[in-house]
Amino acid sequence: MPNIVEPKLIAGNSNLPLANSIARRMSMHRGMTVDLVNARVERFNDGEIFVEVFENVRGEDMFIIQSTSNPANDNLMELLIIADALRRSSAQRVTAVIPYFGYARQDRRTKARTPISAKLVANMLVEAGIARVLTMDLHAAQIQGFFDIPVDNLYASPIFALDIKNQFKDSMGDLMVVSPDVGGVARARELAKRIDAPLAIVDKRREKPGEVAEMTVIGEVAGKKCIIVDDMVDTAGTLCKAADLLMSNGATEVHAYISHGVLSGPAVDRVSKSVMKSLVITDSIAATPAVQGCKNIRILPTAPMFAQAILNIWNGTSVSSLFETETLEPIYEGFFKG
């Protein structure tokens, strides 16, 4: 009789703390130890990536945990090469767990003679032998359609809702959810619905990419504690300007809940000097020492959600059940009390 196929985890170098946390949470959920597969992901002197898996993975259900964050190209190549190594080692199925999916901002042709890099990355993942993708808060939901394999896109909003209800339990009636642009209204509306709060929008006009010429608030934010919701914060310039605008329009406090803390360049310095009382991000991208040392940045864990999603994929049960706050509450019981 063949052995029962167990889920096995392997990780690249992009976010080892998260990979280890997912393994620990899976161990708790299953009541048995789940460790990362013993492997090495190294580089030759010229920067070429080399992968060697030290355990037998023939016939196994493999999950590669790897965010394609900075350095995006190196981490993407690590993911592709690990997948190729597992496929050539006769793994039964290879699932890419990509908490932060890089190149997602290039999802369409905005000008003549520009690429659709998100589609290119999707093609590369499929060609490398990946059979399924598990990610969180894609920058553009239509990227799921770039793949000819199943893609499960989790959402950070249920985790944010739990945290907001815990942090603002005495002032829920004063909250106002704010979308930082018109394109993010659906995401902001989803969180506003979860916490039963009104919605406002910051409308911005750009003269050129990366530079905001004018910003206007649509909605009445005076006397409200504003919560800005977005999927990504990069240099934090627009986010900090939006916080200033909300305060100048009478908001009492400004907080931000952002799924992916890219936080490149001057971002951390800007956030530390901003009028925002807090910036809450997830651990989908490994935090730098500067991020960890910033007093007004908090990091929420995604390991409980990803661990349960991996187990659901492995045993063939619903992943979309994790979209509901009621499903995540027992999983996050130790993090949010009351």
Side-chain angles (χ1 to χ4, degrees):
M1 293 290 291
N3 293 328
I4 297 174
V5 176
E6 296 287 337
K8 285 196 172 183
L9 309 180
I10 188 170
N13 293 315
S14 71
N15 200 341
L16 283 172
L18 176 58
N20 286 313
S21 295
I22 291 173
R24 286 195 298 270
R25 292 297 302 193
M26 287 181 64
S27 299
M28 293 174 60
H29 294 334
R30 300 213 63 214
M32 59 186 293
T33 302
V34 177
D35 293 318
L36 297 178
V37 167
N38 187 18
R40 63 171 174 155
V41 182
E42 298 177 349
R43 281 162 177 73
F44 293 117
N45 291 333
D46 63 352
E48 284 186 14
I49 296 167
F50 174 74
V51 172
E52 184 176 6
V53 181
F54 296 116
E55 298 180 25
N56 180 21
V57 297
R58 182 180 296 273
E60 299 289 358
D61 195 1
M62 300 298 305
F63 293 83
I64 309 171
I65 303 171
Q66 177 82 335
S67 283
T68 52
S69 49
N70 184 38
N73 297 333
D74 285 357
N75 288 329
L76 175 60
M77 282 303 299
E78 279 189 12
L79 174 59
L80 295 171
I81 294 171
I82 293 171
D84 187 72
L86 295 175
R87 182 185 64 172
R88 295 177 187 277
S89 301
S90 301
Q92 182 186 93
R93 180 177 66 173
V94 179
T95 299
V97 181
I98 312 175
Y100 169 68
F101 189 94
Y103 284 101
R105 284 174 279 188
Q106 301 177 49
D107 64 300
R108 64 195 185 283
R109 296 189 68 192
T110 56
K111 296 180 180 179
R113 297 174 295 281
T114 57
I116 305 178
S117 303
K119 172 59 176 171
L120 175 62
V121 171
N123 291 344
M124 293 166 67
L125 293 173
V126 173
E127 286 299 316
I130 290 169
R132 191 181 195 104
V133 171
L134 173 64
T135 186
M136 184 181 76
D137 275 339
L138 283 170
H139 182 67
Q142 66 265 23
I143 291 175
Q144 295 176 78
F146 293 178
F147 290 86
D148 292 325
I149 57 175
V151 176
D152 294 302
N153 183 30
L154 301 176
Y155 299 100
S157 58
I159 307 173
F160 290 163
L162 289 172
D163 187 74
I164 290 169
K165 290 176 181 177
N166 185 66
Q167 293 290 324
F168 302 94
K169 55 189 173 184
D170 298 326
S171 57
M172 291 296 294
D174 298 331
L175 299 183
M176 169 78 80
V177 175
V178 180
S179 173
D181 52 45
V182 175
V185 169
R187 182 180 297 106
R189 186 186 294 118
E190 169 68 17
L191 181 61
K193 182 179 178 181
R194 289 180 184 275
I195 64 174
D196 193 23
L199 177 66
I201 303 169
V202 174
D203 181 43
K204 59 190 178 186
R205 179 172 57 84
R206 295 182 186 272
E207 294 291 346
K208 61 176 80 171
E211 293 186 12
V212 178
E214 183 180 348
M215 303 178 77
T216 307
V217 177
I218 303 173
E220 183 55 57
V221 300
K224 295 289 188 179
K225 294 182 178 180
C226 292
I227 297 177
I228 301 174
V229 183
D230 208 353
D231 70 305
M232 183 189 309
V233 54
D234 193 348
T235 60
T238 303
L239 178 64
C240 292
K241 287 180 180 178
D244 291 336
L245 180 64
L246 293 169
M247 290 297 290
S248 67
N249 278 263
T252 58
E253 295 179 5
V254 177
H255 304 263
Y257 279 75
I258 312 292
S259 303
H260 306 297
V262 179
L263 295 171
S264 58
V268 175
D269 185 57
R270 285 174 173 170
V271 170
S272 65
K273 296 175 181 177
S274 170
V275 297
M276 282 188 300
K277 293 198 70 173
S278 68
L279 167 61
V280 182
I281 59 176
T282 73
D283 58 356
S284 62
I285 297 174
T288 63
V291 171
Q292 293 172 339
C294 186
K295 293 181 179 179
N296 55 343
I297 296 180
R298 284 195 301 118
I299 302 174
L300 295 181
T302 58
M305 181 174 65
F306 275 110
Q308 190 61 55
I310 290 170
L311 289 173
N312 288 6
I313 290 171
W314 166 69
N315 60 31
T317 55
S318 171
V319 174
S320 62
S321 63
L322 297 174
F323 300 167
E324 302 301 325
T325 303
E326 293 77 11
T327 307
L328 285 184
E329 276 182 328
I331 300 173
Y332 277 87
E333 187 175 4
F335 296 94
F336 307 111
K337 297 181 179 179

